[in-house]
Amino acid sequence: MSDTVSRRSALRLLGGAIAVAAAATSGLTPPAHAAALDRQNPSMGPRVEGLVSKLTLDEKISLLHGATDPDSLGQAGYVPGVPRLSIPPLRLADGPAGVRVTRHATALPAPVLLASAFDPGLARRYGRVIGREGRALGQDVLLSPMVNLIRTPYGGRNFETFSEDPLLASDLVAAEIKGIQGEGLIATVKHFAMNNQEKDRMSIDVRVDERTMHEVELRGFAAAVAARTGAVMGAYNKVNGTFACENEKLLTGILREEWGFEGWVMTDWFAAHSTVAAITAGLDMEMPGGIHFDAALKKAVQDGSVPVRYVDRAVRRILAVMDRFGLLDGSVPPRPERDPKAGAAVALEVAKAGATLLRNEHHALPLTGAAARSIAVVGPTGALPFVSGGGSAHVVPDHADSPLDALTSRAGHGAHVSYALGEDLFGKTIPAGALSPAFPTEGQDVGAGRTWTYDGTLTAEDADEWTLVIHYSGERPKVLLDGEDLFPVLPGYGEYFSGGLVSAAPDGLAVRRKVLDLAKGAHTLQITAKGGDGGQLFRLRRITGATRAQDVAQAVKAARAAHSVVLFAYEDATEGLDRTTIALPGHQAPLIEAVTAANPRTTVVLNTSSSISMPWLHRTAAVLQMYYPGQEGAAATAAVLFGDCDPGGRLTQSFAADDAHHPVAGDPRRYPGVDGTEQYSEGIHAGYRWYDAEGVRPLFPFGHGLSYTSFSYDDLRVRRHKGGLDVSFSVRNTGRREGIEVAQVYVGPSPDLRLDQPVRVLGGYERLSLRAGERRRITVRVEQSTLSSWDVKRHRWVLGTGRRTVWIGASSRDLRLRTNAEVFA
């Protein structure tokens, strides 16, 4: 947008465009005054206007949808340029935790682990790593960050986003975008909007009131727009009856009119549902192809269904962002080289900063003395590095050490570190006697162009739960047991969303599993495996009650023989799938029960995507939440366990005690929806606000996290500042070692607003590093926006005046100081 055009003028002109859009959608002739205003569509600058005037209709439309990249690096999307006018192509890569292409990139910790540091400065450095690497790897647009709130603990992509709290999410998304775009890579905030689950994500209709939208879900998107994100990605779901990618209220009314967004809006992949409705509502680009915005759009322009001004508007928005980043005039800086060493340093810093110590009985951690010299490591993710979740978050890391190797190295010479599997992920050899006729299940080669078949029986000695596991290098073999296809190919993109850990064996073969109850006796087994063009190798394995018992027995034996135990537990989340429970998957809970019974000096390290229930908690000595810690996760975990650094993370989401006690529990209308419709009936009481409103005690509250030292708070004072509050207090490290504290400010409801309000909301926070005995006075500003509520009658924010309670604490439930403050308009 030209600097000579004021935002107010631009919004007025856009208002005219909306009127024209509504008329075009309905098939009516737009009123003359609306058409006149639309013709005054504000200039995007002479370079952009010059290009728009020279582009043919076909060339314009080619910029509004994705295509096949002739030189793909395995990125998610590609938009061809217009060579005759020197408009370059755009390459778009996924990147919530690093750049997802087929080449190596820094695998950063998951965003939820970044958020746990409560440090916008660190979020900006995180963004800078992705921004530099994206450009170094030939990309122009990053399809990240994600700022949808953690609304349900079952959300399959909770690890890709930041928090259940809108203030924290807003701060972090703005900082990360500034880091990404500061390196010359265009950021895309997603998924706009109300995209808080994977279950039925392509069709679910989210019904949400105006106040809840603005006060909860939309605040992070507004912060991203204020940080000048170049692009916004529309969500799959419907919002109040209309698909998000053709929702005029969202795309024009809120995004552009209320917030003044100046970039472009693209669909999520295959999220477009129309041509006329979408482009007139404010959608600019369809990805990854052109089902609705290619030939169908051209036809709509030619028959008058879509006035060409809407095509020009979308083209202007895209070109304006490209121009801002120097892509149109050649002023874009040369692509840098990757700096893997610098990326690894930030990855390590983030993993240590976000490491969240949930429990630490009798100072079990850090590991010192005998506890550091005799350690049993238990669990599959103790020996396998758990780098990232599945789906678009997957990154090809430069390297990734296993926690076992990192702990062994850190324990040093003279220490004894043993290992026991405990929970089998990839199966064990099927005994030859169980198959008739026998075949080499551990390595069946199928030549190129050949088909290998098997028709026999599998015999179970006893009735038992079996998990059949297939490993394969080519097209997945078809396996029928008693006529049931055990490993069917999932429809659509579901086939590719299978987790970041459990979907691949250590040697790289793809893996699928099927759990079933087998009756004693013989079962028909038929296998068809095709070699394809290059041939393939496949294995068929099993896990049974007997093999599980052996694994647990070995873990118990190792635990008894060691002074201390570090047990790694996992939960493998992915885009496209929600969890069905917050309990640990598989048989990990019984494993933890058995190991902790054998050795109470057991620390459980969690590599999980989101909150989990812990019925075994009281048996443990310590619990350390590491989420998905990226390529440096093993080193960071070892550093925290041995006390080389303080665990600096705090929970950005409440942990529920079980599946029956959280904001969407027991009400299918809230989640996952009924008859295709979902109600956000909790309203503004999201996350910890729900626990406070309902008087439910979480397992661990929002903001919780322990240090290896202790802190005290005193001398609380509050003064007004431009409609907000400056909250000053002192924090002192009362322990014997340096440590990290995240001081949190919470604010109570306004007595002057006749609205349902939260018991308290996060008003601000500050991350502190204090030496032993050090005392520091800090001031945390609570902005006017945090003290305001959305007025649905006036459709705007109103300040919550009057006498309001202010708390200072170490979590939403650990509140140390309290006072009252008057808020004036």
Side-chain angles (χ1 to χ4, degrees):
M1 183 176 294
S2 169
D3 290 338
T4 61
V5 179
S6 71
R7 175 162 296 180
R8 180 176 298 173
S9 298
L11 294 181
R12 184 174 62 249
L13 294 168
L14 279 171
I18 298 164
V20 173
T25 304
S26 65
L28 301 176
T29 302
H33 71 277
L37 286 174
D38 190 62
R39 285 194 296 270
Q40 300 174 41
N41 193 18
S43 169
M44 292 292 185
R47 185 177 297 108
V48 170
E49 292 303 319
L51 288 171
V52 172
S53 69
K54 295 173 184 175
L55 287 164
T56 67
L57 178 60
D58 286 338
E59 289 170 338
K60 291 174 183 177
I61 290 175
S62 74
L63 296 172
L64 306 187
H65 65 84
T68 300
D69 187 351
D71 300 304
S72 176
L73 295 173
Q75 79 277 3
Y78 172 79
V79 177
V82 182
R84 77 175 184 89
L85 295 177
S86 299
I87 299 174
L90 291 174
R91 290 182 169 87
L92 304 86
D94 290 315
V99 182
R100 188 174 76 92
V101 293
T102 52
R103 296 183 184 176
H104 288 281
T106 300
L108 291 159
V112 70
L113 183 55
L114 165 70
S116 300
F118 279 71
D119 187 347
L122 185 59
R124 190 162 187 162
R125 294 198 296 280
Y126 183 100
R128 289 188 63 186
V129 170
I130 299 176
R132 179 188 175 101
E133 293 211 339
R135 294 212 64 242
L137 291 167
Q139 305 305 300
D140 307 292
V141 182
L142 183 76
L143 304 173
S144 187
M146 175 178 171
V147 76
N148 301 99
L149 295 186
I150 298 174
R151 175 179 177 263
T152 167
Y154 305 123
R157 301 183 80 171
N158 283 353
F159 69 95
E160 288 189 55
T161 192
F162 300 111
S163 177
E164 68 187 22
D165 180 76
L167 173 66
L168 181 61
S170 297
D171 290 348
L172 297 175
V173 75
E176 185 180 341
I177 285 170
K178 290 174 183 176
I180 294 165
Q181 297 193 156
E183 297 295 319
L185 191 68
I186 300 167
T188 307
V189 68
K190 63 184 186 183
H191 309 85
F192 191 64
M194 315 303 147
N195 184 189
N196 301 106
Q197 67 188 61
E198 296 301 281
K199 173 68 174 173
D200 298 328
R201 65 174 181 168
M202 305 293 288
S203 59
I204 194 74
D205 182 6
V206 175
R207 299 301 175 99
V208 56
D209 65 84
E210 182 180 326
R211 184 179 173 213
T212 299
M213 272 203 300
H214 282 84
E215 288 193 25
V216 182
E217 175 71 10
L218 295 185
R219 284 183 63 185
F221 290 99
V225 169
R228 299 199 70 204
T229 184
V232 169
M233 181 185 289
Y236 287 119
N237 51 279
K238 296 177 183 178
V239 178
N240 293 329
T242 303
F243 279 109
C245 287
E246 55 188 53
N247 192 307
E248 186 176 355
K249 173 66 175 177
L250 287 175
L251 302 186
T252 296
I254 293 174
L255 188 61
R256 297 194 184 276
E257 287 190 308
E258 288 184 21
W259 298 346
F261 176 58
E262 298 173 351
W264 88 83
V265 178
M266 71 180 78
T267 66
D268 203 337
W269 270 222
F270 301 103
H273 293 270
S274 65
T275 300
V276 178
I279 197 165
T280 55
L283 182 69
D284 303 307
M285 180 184 288
E286 178 188 7
M287 294 301 295
I291 297 172
H292 300 282
F293 272 28
D294 189 5
L297 179 57
K298 182 177 181 180
K299 180 177 182 298
V301 172
Q302 290 173 334
D303 68 18
S305 301
V306 173
V308 73
R309 59 179 167 269
Y310 290 106
V311 173
D312 290 347
R313 182 179 71 177
V315 170
R316 282 189 180 95
R317 291 167 176 173
I318 296 165
L319 292 181
V321 177
M322 295 178 70
D323 194 32
R324 175 181 146 203
F325 281 79
L327 295 172
L328 298 183
D329 65 355
S331 64
V332 61
R335 293 192 183 273
E337 295 293 324
R338 280 195 65 223
D339 189 345
K341 185 176 180 181
V346 172
L348 179 60
E349 180 185 6
V350 171
K352 292 192 294 187
T356 306
L357 185 60
L358 300 178
R359 175 179 169 89
N360 193 21
E361 293 297 293
H362 309 298
H363 305 288
L365 295 180
L367 299 173
T368 59
R373 295 192 298 272
S374 174
I375 305 170
V377 176
V378 176
T381 47
L384 286 173
F386 200 156
V387 176
S388 66
S392 58
H394 178 70
V395 177
V396 181
D398 288 306
H399 67 270
D401 296 331
S402 75
L404 176 61
D405 289 342
L407 290 170
T408 302
S409 175
R410 178 58 184 81
H413 181 72
H416 182 262
V417 180
S418 63
Y419 175 71
L421 177 64
E423 172 89 347
D424 191 356
L425 287 179
F426 301 109
K428 293 177 173 60
T429 303
I430 298 176
L435 295 166
S436 179
F439 74 93
T441 58
E442 275 300 286
Q444 183 65 51
D445 284 300
V446 184
R450 304 289 297 276
T451 298
W452 181 91
T453 61
Y454 174 86
D455 193 346
T457 59
L458 170 67
T459 300
E461 292 184 355
D462 298 291
D464 198 357
E465 178 189 283
W466 279 55
T467 301
L468 281 168
V469 187
I470 191 163
H471 303 213
Y472 55 99
S473 63
E475 178 184 334
R476 182 154 72 248
K478 187 169 187 176
V479 180
L480 301 178
L481 188 70
D482 293 333
E484 178 187 357
D485 188 352
L486 298 186
F487 311 107
V489 175
L490 298 175
Y493 272 66
E495 176 61 29
Y496 304 99
F497 298 140
S498 54
L501 173 77
V502 300
S503 62
D507 62 358
L509 267 64
V511 174
R512 293 294 186 274
R513 298 165 185 77
K514 176 67 175 181
V515 180
L516 62 165
D517 292 322
L518 277 190
K520 180 180 179 180
H523 301 264
T524 61
L525 177 65
Q526 297 167 299
I527 304 173
T528 303
K530 297 179 180 180
D533 294 335
Q536 81 155 311
L537 170 73
F538 80 88
R539 298 187 285 258
L540 186 64
R541 292 180 173 178
R542 96 307 188 199
I543 303 166
T544 67
T547 66
R548 282 195 301 272
Q550 292 171 359
D551 289 335
V552 171
Q554 290 173 0
V556 167
K557 181 180 179 180
R560 285 177 175 155
H563 183 280
S564 57
V565 178
V566 180
L567 190 156
F568 286 82
Y570 76 92
E571 176 262 318
D572 194 20
T574 180
E575 176 184 357
L577 294 173
D578 279 348
R579 298 192 289 171
T580 57
T581 175
I582 62 172
L584 286 171
H587 297 267
Q588 293 181 93
L591 171 66
I592 295 173
E593 296 276 3
V595 169
T596 52
N599 188 333
R601 295 180 296 276
T602 296
T603 294
V604 175
V605 178
L606 296 171
N607 292 129
T608 59
S609 68
S610 189
S611 61
I612 65 163
S613 58
M614 305 180 198
W616 37 261
L617 178 65
H618 66 285
R619 295 178 176 269
T620 65
V623 177
L624 177 65
Q625 175 61 264
M626 291 299 298
Y627 296 107
Y628 300 155
Q631 67 180 47
E632 307 299 324
T637 302
V640 173
L641 290 175
F642 282 90
D644 300 333
C645 65
D646 206 39
R650 303 295 184 265
L651 291 182
T652 69
Q653 59 188 302
S654 307
F655 275 35
D658 52 46
D659 284 301
H661 296 88
H662 55 73
V664 300
D667 188 349
R669 293 169 298 179
R670 286 189 182 178
Y671 176 86
V674 175
D675 297 330
T677 299
E678 182 177 50
Q679 303 282 349
Y680 279 28
S681 56
E682 73 275 18
I684 59 166
H685 299 292
Y688 64 90
R689 303 177 183 187
W690 179 88
Y691 289 91
D692 290 341
E694 298 296 323
V696 175
R697 183 177 179 178
L699 180 64
F700 293 110
F702 174 88
H704 172 74
L706 304 176
S707 167
Y708 290 150
T709 185
S710 55
F711 301 91
S712 66
Y713 294 74
D714 60 21
D715 197 14
L716 171 60
R717 300 177 187 178
V718 182
R719 63 183 180 86
R720 292 177 57 212
H721 175 84
K722 296 181 179 178
L725 299 173
D726 278 347
V727 182
S728 300
F729 53 95
S730 295
V731 184
R732 180 171 176 260
N733 182 341
T734 56
R736 297 181 177 180
R737 56 174 289 161
E738 182 177 359
I740 302 295
E741 178 69 321
V742 176
Q744 300 159 44
V745 177
Y746 294 87
V747 182
S750 162
D752 296 341
L753 292 180
R754 295 183 179 180
L755 297 171
D756 181 25
Q757 298 176 68
V759 173
R760 64 183 62 88
V761 298
L762 182 69
Y765 53 88
E766 185 159 335
R767 180 183 177 88
L768 300 167
S769 177
L770 297 177
R771 300 183 303 275
E774 182 181 0
R775 174 189 176 99
R776 189 179 306 168
R777 186 158 188 80
I778 63 172
T779 298
V780 174
R781 177 158 295 167
V782 181
E783 299 289 355
Q784 180 174 334
S785 57
T786 299
L787 298 170
S788 299
S789 295
W790 185 262
D791 187 324
V792 297
K793 293 181 179 179
R794 290 180 281 182
H795 308 293
R796 65 176 180 83
W797 293 97
V798 291
L799 180 64
T801 56
R803 191 174 181 82
R804 303 186 67 165
T805 304
V806 176
W807 293 270
I808 309 300
S811 80
S812 65
R813 291 292 177 99
D814 183 5
L815 304 170
R816 312 285 183 86
L817 302 175
R818 173 176 173 168
T819 190
N820 293 311
E822 289 288 340
V823 175
F824 299 97

